Amino acid sequence: MIKGSNVALTALSEDVGTVIVSLGWVSPTGEGDADVSVLLLDAGGKVRSDGDFYFYNNPVAPDGSVQLLGKTPTEDGNEDRICFDLTAVPPQVERIVVAASRYGGARFGELENVRVRLADAAGESLLRFAIADVDAVSAIIFGELYRRGEEWKFRAVGQGYDSGLAGLATDFGVDIEDDAAEAEAEAASAVEAEAEVASAVEAVEAADPAVGGQPEIVDPATTAATLEAVPAPRRPDVAEGEPAKRTAAARPRTAKKKVTPPSAPPKSLAENDSWKPARLFPVSALKSDRDREMRATSVLLSVMAQVPRFGRRLTAAFGAPSGRMETFTEVSLPHGDNPRRPDGVIRIERAGKLWTALVETKTNGNALRADQVQAYMDIAARRGYEAVITVSNDVALEGSPLVDVKIDRRRKHKVAIWHLSWAEVAHQAQLLIQHEGVGNAARTWLLQELLHYLQHENSGCHGFQNMGSAWVPVRNGISDETLCQGDPRALEVVENWERLIRQVCLRLGGDLGLKVLPAQRARRGADPGARRIQQADQLCHEGRLQAELRVEQAPGLLTIGADLRTGKLRTSVEIPAPEQGYPLTWAKRLVRRLAEAPADLHVETLVEGAAGGPRGTLERLRPEPADLLPKGATPITGFRLSLFKGMGSTRGNAESGFIRSVDDAVHRFYTSVVVHLDRPAPRRAAAKETVGAG
């Protein structure tokens, strides 16, 4: 589509009761990000109330008409997806504005390939709109869905705002608690105060070098109160899913919510540690793979039905509507001479209509069978079901389906095929239990029992846990320099490395309650298969695997590398040099903030126009931070912090395995190093801010 054009959704597909809108972008540095938002407008072009504004602090509509699904990595960046159940949109709503904004002073001009894509409930892409000339705006209206009689249409808008999310929402009648702007002002004041202190410290040091050993002036950045605003807690007299009464304190806040760690569990009443708590889902009786599959399916589907927020979280990404959910196991369905029995069925009722998905599960590392999934696709198509959902330990890769199935394009009814990893199921449960809540103690307990079951060694639901049969031959080939470019085993290792990194992101994100995604730096339009072949050739030549992770609120990209020649893992992060102050002050402040970091942490100074500057372990640098300063007046661009550890020798997830060692290395580096670092203040754009046309 081009800017200003519109199209009726029914002209694109017959199945547009539910649509998924994906907003995407590419960050050349791998660090840029944005957040989506939705506004429901009446005939007057305004929201009916502040409750019609959906964004990162209010992601789900109580009636299920809108749900922000979160970000997913693509081959050339990120996509942030929104699910719309158009059949549930209130009749008073005539327009739905779809927008995105950048946080903390960042601008869309720093991103590339800004676009919006709309897909139907089966996941088939219907339209695409690329937005050019985003300039220095901090918020953009990508497009809007609007009614014309009995049908919905989409208009490509591409209008920019330089006043951020708060300014955009205010224009449509939302009463914003604009603490984001206030927080930015306070942050700027703190930066100025810090610069003044740094100048004073540097002046004293210049006058008397011996002062470097004296007690230092306290850094105000370490003692300032947290600037992020915390939204008002939910009132206990308001039931879950019911809108709260409008009060002054209930105004939307554009400052992002602060995640608070869970409280410590109560002390056990057991006489000794050998006593085991009674469990709702026992695992001791599981003897075979069939037992594990049946138990895992029943446990998962029953909790999905009894914890609506969890069930909705898993099914919304598949285009399912919000409604009454029922789940079934061991259902017999006719298929030729032999009836088929899928592991489970999910049915959701909404406004008298049914959405149905067949579920096929695998546990214990067993692979999905293409003929079995194909049979379920054929049954679903004949019976008018909407989807087939596969669940296994494997992790799906973009552009590389786990099973090859044929979709009959001649059929009027389309069936979507979706995949869930058990790691994704555990991730969503962990987020709700530890960081978001479900508003009900009994439902929280159910989720805890589910998570305990999934994490038990006998459940077989551990996620991706095997680097494959090619892992040992590739390691040996790299070690003795006999692995040649073009070897298909190297490509298999690269694909499994990508699966492992996606799972590491899920586990770290679940622990932290933050968004953690693989950082993609592929060129626009890059083919996933070609990119992996290039990485496989690079593995053969250099003997290294490497990936970058973008962790929300981290000061930079977290890099994890595996050197198969030396058998070592390296986790690192690069932090830019401050815009103000003096190098000696930067070095001292960095060492102070890393007071609780491991002594074997490697710190390297990054200098302009050189491969590397001074470096050393934190243990050696603590008494002499000045050792980080390069000779002469060479400008410092930043610092690189790294930890090294030996990597596991086996291909699996055992204590001595490679997968476990990568998971542990990333978790240790973040919790012992990155948490002590401050996220740098956004650099002010030098270009004049402009508002996009439209």
Side-chain angles (χ1 to χ4, degrees), residues 65 139 204 233 282 284 359 455 508:
S65 58
V204 173
S284 58
V359 180
Q455 294 175 340
L508 183 62

Side-chain angles (χ1 to χ4, degrees), residues 240 437-445:
E240 181 186 5
V438 292
N440 182 292
R443 291 173 177 172
T444 301
W445 177 71

Side-chain angles (χ1 to χ4, degrees), residues 403-457:
V403 289
D404 291 324
V405 295
K406 297 179 181 179
I407 300 176
D408 191 347
R409 300 293 180 183
R410 297 171 297 177
R411 293 185 185 272
K412 183 177 180 180
H413 180 76
K414 292 183 295 184
V415 178
I417 180 169
W418 305 96
H419 180 72
L420 263 180
S421 167
W422 285 114
E424 172 71 18
V425 176
H427 168 76
Q428 296 295 349
Q430 192 171 9
L431 283 180
L432 290 173
I433 293 169
Q434 297 185 1
H435 306 287
E436 300 176 17
V438 292
N440 182 292
R443 291 173 177 172
T444 301
W445 177 71
L446 279 175
L447 279 180
Q448 290 173 333
E449 290 297 297
L450 169 66
L451 188 59
H452 177 270
Y453 179 87
L454 297 179
Q455 294 175 340
H456 195 280
E457 60 183 9

Side-chain angles (χ1 to χ4, degrees), residues 180-463:
E182 181 180 346
E184 289 184 13
E186 293 180 10
S189 300
V191 170
E192 293 176 2
E194 183 177 349
E196 293 177 2
V197 173
S199 299
V201 172
E202 183 64 20
V204 173
E205 292 170 347
D208 184 2
V211 174
Q214 299 293 330
E216 299 176 358
I217 298 175
V218 176
D219 182 2
T222 63
T223 57
T226 303
L227 298 178
E228 291 182 343
V230 181
R234 178 183 293 275
R235 286 169 39 202
D237 57 329
V238 178
E240 181 186 5
E242 295 181 1
K245 294 182 179 179
R246 176 79 175 273
T247 64
R251 289 185 296 168
R253 293 188 171 190
T254 55
K256 291 192 174 182
K257 289 183 178 180
K258 187 179 178 183
V259 176
T260 56
S263 58
K267 186 177 180 180
S268 173
L269 299 179
E271 288 184 8
N272 56 64
D273 294 338
S274 65
W275 289 17
K276 302 298 182 184
R279 292 293 179 185
L280 182 65
F281 308 124
V283 291
S284 58
L286 300 176
K287 302 299 183 183
S288 66
D289 287 344
R290 183 57 182 162
D291 289 343
R292 291 184 179 90
E293 288 180 11
M294 293 176 62
R295 179 71 60 83
T297 306
S298 184
V299 168
L300 172 62
L301 295 185
S302 63
V303 175
M304 287 175 61
Q306 296 303 317
V307 185
R309 187 174 296 180
F310 176 66
R312 178 63 180 155
R313 179 71 64 87
L314 294 181
T315 57
F318 305 149
S322 173
R324 184 172 67 94
M325 178 185 295
E326 289 188 1
T327 54
F328 308 87
T329 59
E330 293 299 301
V331 177
S332 178
L333 296 172
H335 182 66
D337 296 333
N338 300 315
R340 293 280 183 166
R341 292 179 174 82
D343 291 320
V345 174
I346 301 173
R347 306 203 87 182
I348 302 174
E349 183 205 11
R350 177 80 191 184
K353 297 180 180 179
L354 284 175
W355 182 93
T356 303
L358 303 181
V359 180
E360 171 63 15
T361 61
K362 294 294 181 183
T363 59
N364 221 32
N366 294 321
L368 294 161
R369 288 170 41 201
D371 60 332
Q372 197 173 34
V373 177
Q374 182 70 65
Y376 295 149
M377 291 287 290
D378 295 340
I379 292 172
R382 288 200 305 269
R383 302 184 71 84
Y385 296 165
E386 282 70 24
V388 172
I389 301 173
T390 59
V391 189
S392 73
N393 283 341
D394 211 343
V395 177
L397 300 180
E398 185 174 4
S400 180
L402 290 177
V403 289
D404 291 324
V405 295
K406 297 179 181 179
I407 300 176
D408 191 347
R409 300 293 180 183
R410 297 171 297 177
R411 293 185 185 272
K412 183 177 180 180
H413 180 76
K414 292 183 295 184
V415 178
I417 180 169
W418 305 96
H419 180 72
L420 263 180
S421 167
W422 285 114
E424 172 71 18
V425 176
H427 168 76
Q428 296 295 349
Q430 192 171 9
L431 283 180
L432 290 173
I433 293 169
Q434 297 185 1
H435 306 287
E436 300 176 17
V438 292
N440 182 292
R443 291 173 177 172
T444 301
W445 177 71
L446 279 175
L447 279 180
Q448 290 173 333
E449 290 297 297
L450 169 66
L451 188 59
H452 177 270
Y453 179 87
L454 297 179
Q455 294 175 340
H456 195 280
E457 60 183 9
N458 199 29
S459 70
C461 305
H462 306 121

